[in-house]
């Protein structure tokens, strides 16, 4: 279910950022884990105790073939079977915008995990604004490559939206990393104008 970058460079950058956020031997749940690439990377590099949830039966089978502990499930139905704060980290990588009920999904993540890692494409990125303004079509990019009629992204959001959501729901943002064209962006301009300059955001949050 994860809609990672369409380029391998971007995909690996996204994964390496998340890898660096997680401590050795942590208990990790990857929601919408796709074919299990990230989960396998974390098991191999960080020796995590990892589990995954994925809606696609085909990708669940691919995960099992990698020796991963993954179950088939719909994240929009929540994580009722998981006790409070059972995991050190719950990951939702490039999937928030494709959930039917993102608020409920985030609530369940924050309940089940001590910390959560959430990444999403920033719909306010300047190239997307430029494209929409001058063409009048729904914009596409490397992180949003779909046509309007076949996109899985039903709740597109911006970095500003996420900050406002976190404030409204008493969510603490512990760390934020911004990327553009598969490159981590740092500096005061990205701190001040991330909503325009960043193509993707990756946040560590808790409650």
């Amino acid at each position: 279910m994860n809609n990672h970058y369409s380029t391998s460079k971007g995909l690996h950058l996204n994964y390496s950022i998340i890898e660096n956020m997680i401590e050795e031997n942590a208990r990790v749940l990857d929601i919408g884990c796709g074919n299990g690439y990230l989960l396998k990377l974390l098991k191999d590099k960080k020796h995590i105790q990892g589990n995954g949830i994925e809606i696609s039966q085909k990708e669940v089978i691919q995960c099992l073939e990698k020796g991963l502990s993954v179950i088939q499930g719909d994240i929009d139905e929540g994580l009722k079977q998981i006790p409070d704060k059972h995991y050190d980290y719950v990951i939702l990588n490039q999937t928030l915008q494709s959930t039917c009920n993102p608020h409920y999904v985030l609530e369940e993540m924050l309940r089940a995990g001590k910390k959560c890692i959430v990444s999403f494409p920033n719909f306010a990125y300047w190239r997307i604004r430029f494209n929409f303004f001058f063409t009048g079509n729904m914009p596409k990019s490397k992180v949003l490559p779909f046509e309007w009629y076949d996109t899985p992204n039903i709740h597109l959001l911006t970095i500003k939206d996420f900050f406002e959501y976190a404030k409204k729901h008493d969510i603490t943002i512990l760390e934020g990393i911004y990327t553009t064209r598969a490159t981590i962006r740092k500096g005061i301009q990205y701190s001040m104008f991330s909503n325009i300059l960043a193509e993707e955001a990756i946040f560590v949050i808790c409650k």
Side-chain angles (χ1 to χ4, degrees), residues 102-117:
H103 174 58
Y104 179 60
V105 170
L106 285 168
E107 282 189 327
E108 281 289 272
M109 289 177 63
L110 289 161
R111 179 192 61 77
K114 297 172 185 175
K115 296 179 183 178
C116 298
I117 297 174

Side-chain angles (χ1 to χ4, degrees), residues 18 29 51 88 97 119 126 128 137 141 174-175 189 195:
I18 294 173
L29 175 66
N51 300 100
D88 297 309
Q97 71 279 357
S119 74
W126 75 267
I128 292 177
N137 298 114
S141 67
L174 300 172
E175 184 179 1
Q189 70 272 30
N195 200 51

